[in-house]
Amino acid sequence: FREKNAYEMDWMNPSTFNHQIQLLKFSLDQSASDLTDKIKVREYVSERVGDKHLIPIIGIYDSIEEIDFEPDNANIVIKTNHGSGLNYSEIFPSSKSKQEIFEKFNKAIATKYDGINWGEFQYDQIQPKLIVEQKIGETDCPPNDYKFHMFESKTSDKWFLQVNSDRHNEPKLNIYDEQFDMIDVQKSGLPNGDLELPPMAQLQSMLDIAKKLSEGHRYVRVDLYLVGEKIFFGELTFTPACGFTEFSDLEISKRFGSYFEGVTSWQVVGSQKF
């Protein structure tokens, strides 16, 4: 018999963070799809933490041709409601031509999100549309992305923070524990950034929002932006990176894998709704 790789999926005894994410895919239902939809989730956010944390929307459209903009003279963000990443969003002003942007979003609207091919079926239920948002912040650089990985726990608060920074240049990624202390680990192959966290009061405010938005979910990642004194909601993600990008330290991956509580592989598979 070949020796099993420590990171290899173990369906009977999932131990790492990604093992648990792979298993989680089988338990997501229509409610997870609605909360993944960047349009529908806004009502959920409004009800739980208020409209003040929503990025102002200029409009919602069925096609890029409906949107009046000039790439080099706009202060907006265009994104789809059903996908994530550079293929599904554009920050303006942009160096791309209008034709290039048309081609990009026509393809994005007509294409199912790649994660569906790997079991992220919650994206398959979303009717693709385009969202035009006001750009937050005063620079052409996207703000740091504070990603709170939240776990439902009956015994204690379990979570960790991932901060993505320098996304316009050479992306960096830092991981912090429940005391906001940085952990010496890398994820997704990205280097750590030389980053100073905001004051504790602002971190605690973001954590409070993440707790309210994650309540009732076994696991969800809550993405937030901090612009000056304002906290803005980004998105909810149930299966980050499709459960494939790993931590550089196996023990850290197992530590966060242990934060998932109370459900066996057979219970999860048996509960699938899609």
Side-chain angles (χ1 to χ4, degrees):
F1 296 96
R2 68 178 178 82
E3 184 176 350
K4 192 169 187 176
N5 185 294
Y7 285 101
E8 188 175 339
M9 181 65 197
D10 186 338
W11 291 103
M12 298 306 300
N13 297 291
S15 60
T16 71
F17 177 77
N18 273 349
H19 288 177
Q20 297 285 3
I21 294 297
Q22 296 298 338
L23 196 59
L24 186 65
K25 292 176 182 178
F26 291 97
S27 68
L28 299 179
D29 58 15
Q30 184 60 49
S31 65
S33 180
D34 290 343
L35 296 180
T36 300
D37 185 324
K38 294 181 179 65
I39 297 171
K40 291 183 178 181
V41 73
R42 290 174 65 87
E43 181 178 354
Y44 174 86
V45 173
S46 177
E47 290 174 350
R48 294 212 170 189
V49 299
D51 291 344
K52 65 181 179 180
H53 297 298
L54 291 172
I55 297 174
I57 276 185
I58 296 171
I60 297 172
Y61 304 89
D62 292 317
S63 69
I64 188 66
E65 286 82 5
E66 298 175 23
I67 304 173
D68 183 18
F69 70 96
E70 293 300 329
D72 59 351
N73 188 28
N75 201 35
I76 58 174
V77 175
I78 301 178
K79 61 177 66 172
T80 73
N81 65 325
H82 75 300
S84 295
L86 296 177
N87 292 332
Y88 298 89
S89 64
E90 187 75 23
I91 299 174
F92 296 84
S94 171
S95 60
K96 293 184 175 67
S97 69
K98 203 163 190 176
Q99 183 61 33
E100 287 174 320
I101 292 170
F102 276 22
E103 291 175 357
K104 172 179 178 174
F105 283 106
N106 281 330
K107 181 178 180 180
I109 283 289
T111 305
K112 290 190 174 184
Y113 184 53
D114 289 345
I116 295 169
N117 297 323
W118 305 100
E120 292 183 297
F121 299 117
Q122 67 271 28
Y123 291 96
D124 194 30
Q125 308 299 310
I126 302 172
Q127 179 63 42
K129 290 184 179 293
L130 294 176
I131 310 168
V132 180
E133 295 178 342
Q134 290 183 14
K135 187 171 69 174
I136 55 176
E138 298 179 353
T139 71
D140 294 337
C141 306
N144 292 341
D145 200 349
Y146 295 85
K147 300 175 181 289
F148 287 83
H149 295 254
M150 308 298 296
F151 303 80
E152 186 176 49
S153 172
K154 295 180 175 61
T155 57
S156 63
D157 289 337
K158 292 185 177 180
W159 57 272
F160 68 91
L161 171 63
Q162 169 186 332
V163 182
N164 288 42
S165 60
D166 204 14
R167 292 183 295 152
H168 67 293
N169 187 18
E170 296 180 1
K172 311 292 194 308
L173 188 156
N174 294 2
I175 300 292
Y176 301 86
D177 66 15
E178 292 90 336
Q179 285 72 49
F180 293 106
D181 291 329
M182 185 174 167
I183 300 175
D184 184 17
V185 69
Q186 295 180 347
K187 190 177 188 294
S188 307
L190 296 177
N192 297 146
D194 184 13
L195 180 68
E196 182 178 347
L197 288 177
M200 186 59 67
Q202 291 181 319
L203 289 171
Q204 189 60 51
S205 293
M206 286 193 284
L207 177 59
D208 290 343
I209 290 171
K211 287 180 177 180
K212 291 176 182 177
L213 295 179
S214 64
E215 185 178 355
H217 300 285
R218 185 165 177 255
Y219 165 84
V220 66
R221 194 189 75 202
V222 182
D223 293 6
L224 302 171
Y225 301 108
L226 180 64
V227 180
E229 299 295 320
K230 294 184 178 181
I231 299 170
F232 291 103
F233 169 78
E235 63 181 87
L236 296 182
T237 302
F238 291 89
T239 52
C242 204
F244 289 123
T245 60
E246 260 298 358
F247 293 92
S248 58
D249 186 329
L250 178 61
E251 293 308 310
I252 296 298
S253 186
K254 287 183 176 180
R255 169 181 166 182
F256 294 145
S258 74
Y259 285 9
F260 290 82
E261 291 187 352
V263 182
T264 69
S265 58
W266 298 112
Q267 288 172 319
V268 169
V269 172
S271 69
Q272 188 180 13
K273 304 293 177 55
F274 285 133

